[in-house]
Amino acid sequence: MVFTAKFYIGYSDINKDYNLTNTSLLKLFENVASMHSHVAKDDINESEGRWFLTGYHVKITKRPQYGETVTIKTWSRDMKGVQASREFEVYNEKNELCLTGLSNWIRINAKTLRLERISPELYEAYGSETERTNFNYSWIEKLKESEKTDYEKEFHIERNFIDANKHMNNVYYLDLATNILPEEVYQAGELNEFIIMYKSAIKYDETVNCGFATEDDGYRITIKSQDKSDLKAVIKMIK
């Protein structure tokens, strides 16, 4: 089952070049996935199950711009045990495919906070499109943290980062990565391919340590607890 929705690119969604930002793009993905869950009668008002992101891989070929209405298509690519993969496509007003995304999720019961196997009813409701894909795999390869960093910076997590699941929303991990970029890298513009691996939830009032590393094909940002004992996320920005 392919679910389709339209979204207007407004002022809060764009950067200095009037292009859709990477963080705003993830917000669109989050919203359209929630809309699909509602159609499947599996949203947070109807189910004790919750989908928690474990990874994103996004490739952008043409950025939507301010004032455009984009069409987003999403579908369940695969479901297995407690895991699911979902893909996205974004089309501009000329019906050009602008970007693709692959996401991985795990299923958790909101009351027990334990992993929950995907039921036969959910398999049927989401109707996985196993042959429809822009990627050669369903499951994103795990990113390793940097062996060394160019520099580090700490961030304190305030209330505006926290979502309905009482932890930092997945979008803001990318915000942290953007905020640690060197000024010359930031001013050069957002990269059009990135991978995010989510490892551990970040809670309100935490202080996290972000490490920045330059690599041959891009940049790697590692987010850890303040004492560096708990890996929170690894983000790879690809040139």
Side-chain angles (χ1 to χ4, degrees):
M1 171 187 174
V2 178
F3 179 83
T4 302
K6 292 183 181 295
F7 293 88
Y8 175 80
I9 307 303
Y11 183 79
S12 63
D13 301 318
I14 59 174
N15 58 23
K16 60 183 176 61
D17 299 315
Y18 301 165
N19 293 324
L20 179 69
T21 65
N22 289 342
T23 52
S24 293
L25 168 61
L26 293 190
K27 289 178 183 178
L28 294 180
F29 282 177
E30 186 175 69
N31 284 326
V32 75
S34 296
M35 293 166 70
H36 188 191
S37 292
H38 178 74
V39 170
K41 300 187 182 304
D42 183 42
D43 69 12
I44 59 176
N45 292 323
E46 300 173 292
S47 172
E48 292 181 0
R50 297 290 185 272
W51 295 107
F52 282 83
L53 267 171
T54 60
Y56 265 127
H57 188 175
V58 175
K59 298 179 180 180
I60 302 169
T61 53
K62 186 176 184 179
R63 283 187 184 272
Q65 293 187 312
Y66 171 73
E68 284 193 87
T69 296
V70 297
T71 300
I72 303 182
K73 297 182 179 182
T74 188
W75 62 94
S76 169
R77 167 77 185 280
D78 199 1
M79 291 183 168
K80 180 174 65 176
V82 300
Q83 301 180 84
S85 66
R86 170 186 290 276
E87 289 203 37
F88 303 88
E89 293 177 341
V90 178
Y91 293 84
N92 62 17
E93 293 177 346
K94 297 178 180 179
N95 201 34
E96 298 170 324
L97 179 60
C98 294
L99 59 95
T100 58
L102 173 68
S103 59
N104 289 168
W105 310 71
I106 55 171
R107 183 84 174 177
I108 292 178
N109 184 283
K111 289 189 174 180
T112 66
L113 299 182
R114 294 181 178 179
L115 293 173
E116 179 178 87
R117 291 188 66 84
I118 301 166
S119 68
E121 291 78 15
L122 279 182
Y123 276 100
E124 182 176 356
Y126 281 105
S128 295
E129 302 273 345
T130 56
E131 301 301 317
R132 182 188 177 105
T133 182
N134 293 291
F135 296 80
N136 294 322
Y137 50 86
S138 296
W139 313 106
I140 301 167
E141 185 177 353
K142 301 299 183 184
L143 289 175
K144 295 181 180 179
E145 60 182 280
S146 302
E147 294 182 359
K148 61 178 182 178
T149 57
D150 298 350
Y151 61 88
E152 299 174 357
K153 185 176 180 179
E154 290 187 348
F155 295 93
H156 186 254
I157 306 306
E158 303 290 352
R159 290 190 181 93
N160 61 297
F161 290 103
I162 306 303
D163 65 13
N165 287 316
K166 299 180 180 180
H167 58 66
M168 189 170 82
N169 186 272
N170 299 295
V171 171
Y172 294 121
Y173 289 73
L174 188 56
D175 266 351
L176 293 184
T178 300
N179 284 331
I180 198 178
L181 294 177
E183 187 63 21
E184 64 273 14
V185 174
Y186 174 76
Q187 291 297 337
E190 293 183 283
L191 295 179
N192 290 329
E193 183 175 1
F194 59 90
I195 302 170
I196 307 176
M197 181 186 73
Y198 301 98
K199 291 291 291 181
S200 178
I202 298 175
K203 302 294 183 63
Y204 165 63
D205 207 32
E206 273 195 79
T207 296
V208 294
N209 177 281
C210 296
F212 174 85
T214 302
E215 300 181 339
D216 292 340
D217 60 345
Y219 312 101
R220 191 175 302 242
I221 295 90
T222 303
I223 305 175
K224 295 182 177 181
S225 57
Q226 188 174 24
D227 64 3
K228 303 182 184 180
S229 64
D230 183 17
L231 179 62
K232 303 292 187 180
V234 181
I235 299 169
K236 173 73 174 178
M237 299 179 177
I238 302 168
K239 291 180 180 178

